[in-house]
Amino acid sequence: MKLRQSAWWALGLVIFALFPVVVTNPFYTTIGIFTVIYMGCATSWNMFSGYSGYVSLGTAIFYGCGAYTMALVSIHGHIPGGAEQFWVVPLGGLVAMAIAVPLGAVALRVRRHTFVVITIAFFFVFQLAAINANFTGGPAGLSLELIPWQGDAYNTPFYYVALAILVFSVVLSALVRRSRFGLQLLAIRDDEDRALGLGVKVKAVKLTGYTMSAFVVGMAGALYAMFLGQIYPQFVFDPVFDVTIALMAFLGGFGTLLGPLVGGLILESSQQWLTANYSNGSLYLILFGALFLIVVLFMPQGIVVKVKEVWSKRTSTGSDATQAPLATLGSESL
Amino acid sequence: MNSSALIHALVDGVLTGSVYALMATGLTLVFGVMDIINLAQGILVILGAYLSYTLSVHFGVDLFVGLLITIPTLFVVGIVIERLFVARLKGPERTAMSILVTYAISLVIEGILNEVYSINQVQLQAWYVNRSFPIFGIYLPYIYLLGFILAAALLGSLYYMLYRTRFGASIRASLSDQTAAALVGIDTKRVATICFGIGVAVTAAGGMIYGATNAFNASSSYDLISRLLTIIVLGGMGSLGGALVAGILMVMLQDIVAVVWSPIWSSMSFFVVLVIVLSLRPQGLFGKQSARVA
């Protein structure tokens, strides 16, 4: 069983690694890059919010901070456009973590429902600051030096760096899930007061989780800035990003390892494809919203859990059909 | 800072702030009774504004008379949303799910509004929008005063309903304890549905005044919902009086910062104050300190 699972994960990785070899059209590899970036962010988001139950809608703060780190360091450090810029990517993650510490210290003082709203408020503080401050270039944003890579070769390095970030994110999330620390996060999700009573250092655990989850998102933001070569405050600090990341995790399966990957894969690739093919933005909004409503109403525990349920009903005699959905959420096999 | 700017901030704070308080009250009522965060409140305000716009431009109906149509319409919209989507949310993650579901609903409404009305900004017009009256040495358009009277009247009748009627008592019972309310025989499902309807219905009035005092399009809803959310968090989630105080405070603070410092930073000031207040008092200004929240 263990072996078969590892084989599936390896197969998935090979498929993702071979994607730009098989598909060389830059239109599709660009979609691939964004999809992989979002899958990584959703996994990282889920590592804190999914495990602890503290839904954060301020993820774009870290994305934006990572993007501005890349832009500012590249511009002021006179880094020539090219592969050397990739070294700034982890720095973007570290800056995001540094920012997450004070934010988390304040936001995590409150319980879940209020936490959601505070993260939204924080997000708007950052967006407004990026639009209005001088060093961020204001609404006009910042432009990076052009990278002199041609044609198909432009996308490939970005794809593999994005994939590396994704793999890192998944491995980290899996390790956390199996660790004592991960169990503490899950305990907080189930009953924070009881966890506290049982000796879990709730505050420290929450803050550590929150800060860790910022790292990958910051790196993704930095990569995004480098890939596009131009950032605007309203696009790197985008409220839609906040919600999209959460949607991906819920769509796939909140608190599971596989869920955010599936959700990110489906949502981001279809979103990129739809926006590229339907220039009519409002029609796209309606389709996207309606699709999401349908999914939430018919499979509220997410696609992964639903598929697993249906699968086990078909393969077994149905004796374990009474298993509660939340119990499956916590199961190690996911 | 000259005194007329301070007076302007105070007057505008009370007049405009009460309108925000009205819209936020709908939000905090829904949260308090149902543990549902309705992210669609912002776009519903815009929907209310567009309905008033259609009535006044295409049918020549006065903005205030039009409310007789738009308030019941949005009440029904609220009931439908609650029955079709919100009532289906169950389980421990229903508050988080409600954010996503109502966000999806707001996306759909935003798309439809963009299709129907285009993304060009419009503003509601009437004689009282264009003409001003003097107050404490400054001039304000009549709509500010009329909007305040309307908001005060609606908030007043809402409070009367909540504190003086039997149905209001059952709402307050559900606000303080769902399970206990159900145990003493209150039909909490019906209370929840009607609360959601009321919470959405107030956006018709709020939207009309918002649309008459600001140029708007469907994407104005993002700015609105972020303000409304910060108001209810600052006031204390589920606290009706808190929403009123925080709404007025928000507008005053922004006006003062705009004059003293710069209009650029005025919208940010409120978020900063929110962060400071919450780090000292996590439950908000008037929130209940809950001993145990699951």
Side-chain angles (χ1 to χ4, degrees), chain B residues 1-2 4-6 8-9 253-263 266:
Chain B
M1 174 174 177
N2 50 23
S4 83
L6 182 66
H8 177 266
L253 184 74
Q254 291 187 353
D255 286 350
I256 291 173
V257 172
V259 174
V260 177
W261 194 5
S262 147
S266 70

Side-chain angles (χ1 to χ4, degrees), chain A residues 47-54 111-112 176-177 179-202 205-206 330, chain B residues 93 292-294:
Chain A
M47 187 181 71
F48 171 67
S49 294
Y51 294 168
S52 72
Y54 275 78
R111 289 294 169 92
R112 294 173 190 192
V176 165
R177 178 68 188 76
S179 69
R180 181 183 150 80
F181 172 65
L183 288 176
Q184 290 174 328
L185 282 174
L186 288 174
I188 289 171
R189 182 176 81 179
D190 291 342
D191 191 333
E192 187 165 342
D193 293 298
R194 187 165 292 169
L196 185 65
L198 289 172
V200 176
K201 291 191 176 57
V202 174
V205 168
K206 284 192 293 187
Chain B
E93 307 296 342
R292 189 183 164 93
V293 187

